[in-house]
Amino acid sequence: MRFTSWLGKSKYASAYKPSQQQAVNDYITDNVTQNVAVLQQMFAKNPDLVVRLLHIKKSGERAALLYLSGLTDKNSINNNVLRPLQFESGGSEDDFGLALTIGHIQTKNRYSEIEYIILQGNSVLLVDGRADAYSLDTAGWPQRAIEDPQMEASLKGAHQGFVETGTQNIALIRRYIPNRELNTMEIVVGRRGNSKLSIMYLGDIAHPEVLQELQDRIRQLEIDAIINTGELAELIEDNPFSPFPQYILTERPDAAASHLLQGRFVVVVDRSPSVLIGPATFASFFQAVDDYSTRWSIATFIRLLRFFAFSIAVFLPAFYIAVISYNYEIIPIKLLLSIGEFRGRVPFPPFVEAIIMEVTLEMMREAGVRLPAPVGQTVGIVGGIVIGQAIVQAGFISNTMVIVVAFTAIASFILPNYDMVAAARLIRFAMMIAASMFGVVGIIIGLMIMIGHVISLESLGTPYGSPFAPVRFSDWKDTFVRLPLWFMKKRPLSTRAVQLEKQGSNRPKGDGD
């Protein structure tokens, strides 16, 4: 802790012990020396606290500026705070009689409020004879530049992704929706971390009951801190034991803006490079930004391909186990003989064979993610080829099983949402166990259980299976297929938007109309 000048002569410099009344009401006094001593005691084990003691040139008052050195913009403090206070006597009159050029100034009168302000990266100005502290917006912590999203690549969409600063993420969203109806509500969560959450929504579109439900769930949290958006999603979801994600997590500002225009809510978590979107439906995890910047016929084909790929990723290994172990009569005789020829040397039953390959695939996938990018790609490609060839030659796995696992892996890569991919990976093992016990009947039972579970789920009180359960035919224009944009005149009913109309009924006519 660094400080100089007249504070060292004060009787409060060593350690100030507030009276019982001050400890109860937490209010600061009009003595700047006493206030600085209290704050020094509060930050006694924080050597990065800086205390700048000064005299205001215009009024002659003593003052103290406090901030944490690593969280503030030094240029802003020197040019916009210290220089006007110490060297300039002219300027417009304000509450100080000063000419501060800082952008945002707030008045606080509690030590707890000052502590929070300093920890958030702002600086605090204490003036002798005033029982108020002035919060100055000088935050400037280390942060990275805006980059292309890593998890949600886009061919035709924007190449800007969220960063770890909440205010910048809010600004990125406002760039897409410069409208006064785009409201932001801030909630601070955490006993230690003081995590700032910002709920964004369009006031004339979003449903107030959904907003109230989201607020209540967040305000009821009793936790030390929210570090990332994934933690928040797990803490406020309707069914924490479901493998399916119940909120959309995205690192794309254009995707967040698109969901806001549909009537959903976006929660920006400060210090996290992704935002939370709700309410969500099962079909919304198969939609991508590129779907709306591509011709509707191509987007429809890709959308259908995603749903087909999800089915392959979940059911193909289980189907292989079922037909080889129980229902081999449904396989053509020539194909059955070919499979039997390769499986003649395999010492394991199909279920064990599939488990070995799937676990190996998952380990290679995780190894590729955790290692540096160049090394990870090498491990994924070379490792897959070498291990696959070696394990077949050794007779542990058949060629057919390698083909099945390869198709399953490719199918899972097509899905645009990582959380839904993770759910498919988990459900795949459950389906494999059911197929090993009951064959095709086990797969059908598993499918029925999965459908029933999806129908029973909710996201912020909204049916997760919508628009299929309950049936809402008007929303089918943007589920399995993506019809032309001029057909989608209303917002999805699943978002419970108050204002459904989103575009006019007219369309410019061309020669082909």
Side-chain angles (χ1 to χ4, degrees), residues 362-373 375-376 418 425:
E362 295 299 328
M363 288 192 296
M364 286 193 297
R365 190 201 305 262
E366 287 299 314
V369 171
R370 308 304 169 195
L371 290 173
V375 181
Y418 177 80
R425 292 158 60 185

Side-chain angles (χ1 to χ4, degrees), residues 155-436:
L155 297 177
K156 293 187 176 182
H159 294 277
Q160 288 183 327
F162 289 123
V163 294
E164 287 78 12
T165 305
T167 54
Q168 287 197 30
N169 294 340
I170 293 173
L172 288 172
I173 296 175
R174 286 195 179 277
R175 285 274 292 147
Y176 287 94
I177 311 178
N179 190 284
R180 59 185 174 87
E181 290 293 341
L182 182 58
N183 301 329
T184 303
M185 176 183 299
E186 291 187 357
I187 302 176
V188 178
V189 178
R191 293 185 291 252
R192 297 181 183 273
N194 290 325
S195 305
K196 185 171 68 174
L197 313 181
S198 301
I199 303 175
M200 302 187 69
Y201 61 96
L202 288 169
D204 58 340
I205 296 177
H207 200 291
E209 291 184 4
V210 182
L211 173 62
Q212 187 62 46
E213 177 69 20
L214 180 59
Q215 287 184 70
D216 293 342
R217 295 188 185 187
I218 294 177
R219 294 185 189 279
Q220 291 173 9
L221 294 178
E222 296 182 0
I223 191 171
D224 283 344
I226 301 292
I227 302 299
N228 55 61
T229 311
E231 291 183 5
L232 177 65
E234 184 175 349
L235 289 169
I236 66 173
E237 63 186 359
D238 292 68
N239 190 339
F241 299 103
S242 173
F244 292 102
Q246 294 151 57
Y247 295 98
I248 302 172
L249 303 184
T250 182
E251 56 183 0
R252 299 191 61 89
D254 50 353
S258 177
H259 286 291
L260 282 170
L261 292 171
Q262 291 181 355
R264 292 187 172 93
F265 296 84
V266 171
V267 182
V268 179
V269 181
D270 194 25
R271 303 186 290 265
S272 177
S274 61
V275 301
L276 180 146
I277 300 172
T281 62
F282 179 78
S284 62
F285 291 93
F286 295 85
Q287 301 169 352
V289 174
D290 280 340
D291 295 351
Y292 306 97
S293 56
T294 310
R295 291 185 57 81
W296 70 271
S297 54
I298 304 299
T300 296
F301 171 75
I302 296 174
R303 187 77 61 81
L304 291 172
L305 190 63
R306 291 185 191 130
F307 280 98
F308 178 71
F310 177 80
S311 303
I312 294 295
V314 172
F315 296 108
L316 184 58
F319 184 75
Y320 172 81
I321 294 171
V323 296
I324 296 299
S325 301
Y326 295 95
N327 307 100
Y328 49 84
E329 65 275 2
I330 66 176
I331 306 177
I333 186 64
K334 292 185 178 180
L335 179 60
L336 181 62
L337 292 175
S338 176
I339 295 174
E341 180 182 355
F342 288 113
R343 281 198 46 79
R345 299 170 49 216
V346 177
F348 306 113
F351 174 70
V352 176
E353 184 184 12
I355 287 293
I356 292 175
M357 283 303 299
E358 288 295 337
V359 171
T360 303
L361 174 66
E362 295 299 328
M363 288 192 296
M364 286 193 297
R365 190 201 305 262
E366 287 299 314
V369 171
R370 308 304 169 195
L371 290 173
V375 181
Q377 294 177 359
T378 304
V379 169
I381 297 173
V382 178
I385 295 174
V386 173
I387 293 177
Q389 184 178 3
I391 201 169
V392 170
Q393 291 180 350
F396 289 103
I397 302 296
S398 65
N399 285 334
T400 310
M401 188 68 243
V402 174
I403 296 173
V404 168
V405 171
F407 271 110
T408 303
I410 293 172
S412 64
F413 294 147
I414 297 175
L415 302 181
N417 186 278
Y418 177 80
D419 293 323
M420 186 57 73
V421 172
R425 292 158 60 185
L426 185 61
I427 297 172
R428 179 164 64 238
F429 284 97
M431 291 296 176
M432 290 166 55
I433 295 173
S436 67

Side-chain angles (χ1 to χ4, degrees), residues 6-81:
W6 39 264
L7 184 61
K9 303 176 182 180
S10 171
K11 64 180 180 179
Y12 301 103
S14 58
Y16 172 74
K17 296 183 179 180
S19 64
Q20 184 177 2
Q21 182 180 0
Q22 286 179 319
V24 172
N25 57 36
D26 196 33
Y27 287 101
I28 68 174
T29 68
D30 59 356
N31 188 317
V32 64
T33 306
Q34 180 175 321
N35 293 332
V36 169
V38 174
L39 292 172
Q40 285 179 337
Q41 184 180 7
M42 295 172 64
F43 290 89
K45 296 184 179 180
N46 295 271
D48 53 342
L49 177 69
V50 178
V51 181
R52 299 290 296 270
L53 307 176
L54 50 103
H55 285 82
I56 300 174
K57 183 175 182 180
K58 185 171 184 178
S59 62
E61 296 172 302
R62 294 188 305 171
L65 185 69
L66 296 89
Y67 56 89
L68 292 175
S69 59
L71 297 179
T72 52
D73 185 355
K74 303 301 187 302
N75 292 328
S76 178
I77 290 177
N78 292 329
N79 298 329
N80 302 328
V81 179

